[in-house]
Amino acid sequence: QVQLVESGGGSVQVQVGSLRLSCAASGFTVSGYCMAWFRQAPGKRREGVATIDRDALLNYAESVEGRFSISRNDGLNTIHLSMERLKFEDTAMYYCAADPTISDADCLHRVDGSRFRYWGQGTQVNVSA
């Protein structure tokens, strides 16, 4: 049974705060899937944040480029999202997603969330003054 469990969310102070989100996978191997982080703020559409393909190549949304870093730990079958210099607009529920059918080429572009088969339950990030 495929399962994704996010953790690491919380409340941080704008600009100075940092967080590291984790997504523990079970039932499949993360290195064989296109893996992604998405987020959704209240009243806003779901937004792709970062992806990592099977070769561990990375792609980021412009809004987080240079501040966020996606990584993969094959030994723990986990992916992470390290977030620095957080902004108010980073406040959202963050979701981990996985799909075995998205090609590596597509994985490194703006892949719509509807293409991902598996989702976690989300972890909340709040950025405040």
Side-chain angles (χ1 to χ4, degrees):
Q1 180 181 357
V2 171
Q3 190 173 17
L4 297 169
V5 179
E6 301 98 331
S7 61
S11 297
V12 294
Q13 189 176 2
V14 66
Q15 287 299 326
V16 299
S18 63
L19 283 172
R20 186 178 191 230
L21 307 183
S22 297
C23 173
S26 58
F28 72 102
T29 303
V30 294
S31 60
Y33 280 48
C34 172
M35 301 295 298
W37 286 97
F38 286 81
R39 66 185 181 185
Q40 188 166 22
K44 294 189 177 181
R45 296 181 63 181
R46 183 173 58 194
E47 174 189 21
V49 175
T51 57
I52 181 168
D53 76 358
R54 294 164 185 81
D55 293 326
L57 297 178
L58 316 174
N59 180 261
Y60 298 95
E62 288 185 12
S63 58
V64 305
E65 184 88 50
R67 300 187 299 118
F68 289 14
S69 176
I70 186 172
S71 61
R72 191 177 74 203
N73 185 319
D74 292 346
L76 295 177
N77 209 36
T78 299
I79 67 167
H80 302 282
L81 185 69
S82 297
M83 307 184 293
E84 298 179 342
R85 301 193 305 280
L86 285 153
K87 303 178 180 180
F88 292 122
E89 52 264 41
D90 294 322
T91 294
M93 184 72 81
Y94 283 71
Y95 298 92
C96 174
D99 193 274
T101 67
I102 298 172
S103 69
D104 285 343
D106 286 352
C107 191
L108 295 178
H109 290 83
R110 295 187 66 177
V111 184
D112 189 81
S114 63
R115 294 189 60 187
F116 285 85
R117 180 173 181 180
Y118 301 110
W119 291 83
Q121 82 290 347
T123 186
Q124 180 69 37
V125 172
N126 294 315
V127 183
S128 59

